[in-house]
Amino acid sequence: IFYYRMNLIKIFTREEPIAGLEISETHIKLAFLALETPSKKVKKGEEESAVLRIKALTEEPLPEGIVKEGVVVNPAALTASIVKLLKKSPTVHYFIVSIPGNKVYQKVFTFPKTVQEERLLDAMKLATTFQLPFAAETAYIDWEKLPDDEQKNDVFLAAVPKTVIEGFVVALARAGVKTVAIETRGMSLGRAMENEDQTILVRDSGKKDLALYVLKGGIPRFGRILPASHIQEETARAEMEKIKKFYEVEWKESIPRVVDLEQVALLPTLASELKRLGNTVSTTSWTIALGAALRGLLPRSEDTVVSILPVGTEEAYEYQKAAAFAKFIAHTAVGLALFWIAIFFGAWTLLSVIQENSNKELTALSQAPVSTENLALEDRAKQFNDTVAETHLILATFPSWSIIIEEIRARIIPGISITMFSLPAPDGVLSLNGIAATRADLNKFKKSLEGSALITEVNLPITNLEQKGHIPFSATFRMRDPQILFSGK
């Protein structure tokens, strides 16, 4: 009860903290950052600024074969490893997740400055139709407009097959992780490194593959990942030369520097924090996990960065909070229902015992010789029986709401979450509110209600026609025979 009360307070008073989670083929890393107000007093007229603090850095090795070439091969094993990691970490439920970019298509599209608003949107839709290496309808796609340039519009796009992302989402959900956004290692890297206008080529050498990222201003302009079978020094050098030449032709500028991931200069605030932690931090690079955690500090309404989830970051965050609140309401309703059912049966049992004892006493009195004292006792027994009868009449006026509650629960189908249930009177209009995963689920739920033998006049208005997923709805209906709540039949 305390846990849900605290969750309810968090939902209504402030946003939940969001941590960064890096998933690679060899490990899982969690980084949790927070902005803290300095304890020292500031001088009059000076503004009090928040200081970035690393609250947690936790790592869990990942057995070989769970994630291979950017794809989750064993979701159950990945879930188990994430659970182990979370047990060693602070209580955080919401995460920005960074995954390998093997199967992710990333590209920066350049358009003339005159292409704006709707024309830019149409141009990107056209680009996703003809330039993706897979069918657009089989992928999750997102893009963001990069900072304004005086001469052109640059748009960063990321796309990945749905089956790839769903493998990560399923494993994360089963581990209790509420995913706010999913991005690639290159995106997390660009956010954590010290921003510079100069273009650089970063070598991310893993045990299983070699990733090459071209970044400028913290934005991945190009990415290439070589599998283990191709990782030879000569092959890597040749590939880097190809990337340099391609980039020079495509963007009309050279790549003056090539650095390894471990040599990347971090943001001064992150570097300072890692130095403060000293020997408590492993020599392993935390750049990717810290980059994902930095995104978690952004207000949800301002997070317009690319996310390869089925929904945007703000929608994903609000949906996760709504799901947590709905779970709290459902558990509370069930608890209250069980409490009142226990009270009802307790009262019924007590009255049954009292009535049985009274009947025994009356039987004994009827067989005994009649006397003045017995007549008085008989009168008292009669009064008691009248009281018991009145009590039964009172109990009969209380409807048994559990009948309709169980009927509605039996009619709920997968994809439907109920957030509110209103029962004003047995013969009145009953209503419920909820969220449907898809419009098809909403139509199936309406048919399920209409098929009930207990309810009638089902009314489920069609709203939010432009919304394809996570559709809020409101339904009303009546009891076909309100007396069934009193008869129990």
Side-chain angles (χ1 to χ4, degrees):
I1 295 174
F2 176 77
Y3 168 79
Y4 285 113
R5 182 167 67 247
M6 292 302 296
N7 271 353
L8 185 62
I9 293 173
K10 288 180 181 179
I11 289 171
F12 284 111
T13 58
R14 64 180 177 86
E15 291 188 337
E16 289 271 5
I18 302 174
L21 191 68
E22 172 195 352
I23 300 177
S24 73
E25 292 190 5
T26 58
H27 60 260
I28 311 171
K29 293 181 181 178
L30 181 150
F32 181 30
L33 304 176
L35 293 172
E36 295 183 350
T37 304
S39 56
K40 64 179 182 179
K41 295 183 179 179
V42 296
K43 296 180 181 179
K44 188 176 181 180
E46 293 183 354
E47 292 186 1
E48 193 175 30
S49 58
V51 177
L52 182 68
R53 290 283 185 247
I54 296 178
K55 308 300 289 185
L57 294 174
T58 313
E59 182 178 7
E60 176 69 26
L62 203 59
E64 186 175 357
I66 294 178
V67 178
K68 187 176 181 180
E69 296 184 2
V71 178
V72 179
V73 179
N74 190 337
L78 179 58
T79 296
S81 296
I82 296 173
V83 170
K84 290 180 181 179
L85 176 74
L86 296 179
K87 289 180 178 179
K88 300 185 293 186
S89 309
T91 304
V92 184
H93 303 288
Y94 296 83
F95 289 88
I96 304 294
V97 181
S98 185
I99 66 172
N102 303 60
K103 303 298 181 181
V104 182
Y105 175 81
Q106 301 176 82
K107 185 176 181 181
V108 174
F109 291 88
T110 300
F111 301 98
K113 195 65 177 178
T114 54
V115 179
Q116 297 283 351
E117 304 296 337
E118 292 296 327
R119 294 180 62 193
L120 185 62
L121 181 62
D122 293 338
M124 287 305 299
K125 289 181 178 179
L126 189 64
T128 58
T129 301
F130 294 102
Q131 297 202 31
L132 294 183
F134 34 71
E137 61 271 15
T138 66
Y140 292 132
I141 306 169
D142 196 13
W143 64 76
E144 62 172 308
K145 188 175 179 297
L146 300 184
D148 288 338
D149 186 285
E150 294 181 358
Q151 300 179 348
K152 62 183 184 303
N153 281 326
D154 287 337
V155 180
F156 174 65
L157 175 140
V160 61
K162 293 179 179 179
T163 53
V164 174
I165 289 299
E166 286 165 359
F168 286 99
V169 170
V170 169
L172 290 163
R174 289 176 179 173
V177 170
K178 295 176 174 59
T179 307
V180 177
I182 292 182
E183 61 183 25
T184 63
R185 291 175 61 85
M187 295 168 61
S188 302
L189 167 63
R191 192 178 302 110
M193 63 186 290
E194 187 174 8
N195 288 333
E196 50 180 287
D197 294 333
Q198 193 179 50
T199 304
I200 65 171
L201 175 60
V202 179
R203 292 167 47 112
D204 182 5
S205 301
K207 293 182 179 180
K208 300 297 181 182
D209 52 35
L210 170 66
L212 301 171
Y213 307 110
V214 178
L215 296 106
K216 182 179 181 180
I219 302 296
R221 297 276 175 164
F222 183 82
R224 179 87 165 91
I225 298 178
L226 299 176
S229 58
H230 291 76
I231 301 179
Q232 286 94 25
E233 189 62 31
E234 184 178 346
T235 306
R237 284 198 301 267
E239 190 66 29
M240 285 190 288
E241 289 302 319
K242 289 180 182 179
I243 292 174
K244 286 182 179 180
K245 292 179 181 179
F246 168 78
Y247 188 83
E248 187 174 352
V249 172
E250 186 77 11
W251 278 277
K252 306 297 186 295
E253 60 183 14
S254 62
I255 302 176
R257 286 202 309 134
V258 178
V259 298
D260 290 327
L261 178 62
E262 291 75 13
Q263 299 171 338
V264 169
L266 293 177
L267 290 171
T269 52
L270 291 177
S272 175
E273 268 297 278
L274 289 173
K275 185 177 180 180
R276 180 181 67 84
L277 295 175
N279 294 331
T280 60
V281 179
S282 169
T283 56
T284 306
S285 173
W286 289 89
T287 305
I288 306 301
L290 288 170
L294 281 173
R295 180 172 179 177
L297 296 178
L298 290 174
R300 293 302 90 211
S301 58
E302 298 177 14
D303 187 356
T304 58
V305 184
V306 163
S307 172
I308 41 183
L309 273 178
V311 295
T313 57
E314 185 176 4
E315 292 86 350
Y317 181 67
E318 293 302 325
Y319 172 75
Q320 297 286 10
K321 287 209 302 181
F325 179 68
K327 184 177 180 180
F328 163 77
I329 293 297
H331 284 205
T332 302
V334 171
L336 289 174
L338 292 175
F339 172 76
W340 287 113
I341 289 172
I343 291 294
F344 172 80
F345 280 107
W348 180 81
T349 302
L350 177 61
L351 290 174
S352 297
V353 171
I354 293 174
Q355 186 177 21
E356 183 179 355
N357 291 338
S358 300
N359 290 335
K360 289 180 179 179
E361 290 181 7
L362 289 174
T363 301
L365 288 172
S366 64
Q367 296 174 354
V370 179
S371 64
T372 304
E373 184 179 355
N374 288 342
L375 289 175
L377 290 174
E378 184 177 354
D379 186 56
R380 288 174 59 187
K382 182 179 179 181
Q383 292 178 3
F384 183 84
N385 281 339
D386 291 341
T387 303
V388 171
E390 290 175 359
T391 303
H392 274 289
L393 289 175
I394 293 173
L395 287 176
T397 62
F398 285 92
S400 179
W401 291 113
S402 60
I403 295 175
I404 187 62
I405 290 174
E406 289 300 323
E407 177 66 13
I408 295 302
R409 286 181 61 185
R411 293 288 165 181
I412 295 176
I413 64 172
I416 297 296
S417 298
I418 303 301
T419 59
M420 193 272 290
F421 195 11
S422 176
L423 307 170
D427 58 351
V429 177
L430 313 181
S431 65
L432 58 84
N433 295 339
I435 298 174
T438 64
R439 196 162 294 281
D441 292 336
L442 188 58
N443 292 332
K444 292 179 182 178
F445 179 52
K446 182 179 179 182
K447 292 181 179 179
S448 178
L449 291 177
E450 291 173 341
S452 172
L454 300 184
I455 62 176
T456 185
E457 298 182 25
V458 176
N459 183 19
L460 204 161
I462 298 177
T463 59
N464 302 309
L465 294 176
E466 75 287 351
Q467 192 164 347
K468 297 182 179 180
H470 310 296
I471 306 167
F473 65 88
S474 177
T476 61
F477 54 91
R478 291 178 177 273
M479 291 292 299
R480 193 177 298 275
D481 181 10
Q483 292 302 316
I484 198 171
L485 300 181
F486 301 95
S487 63
K489 298 180 180 179

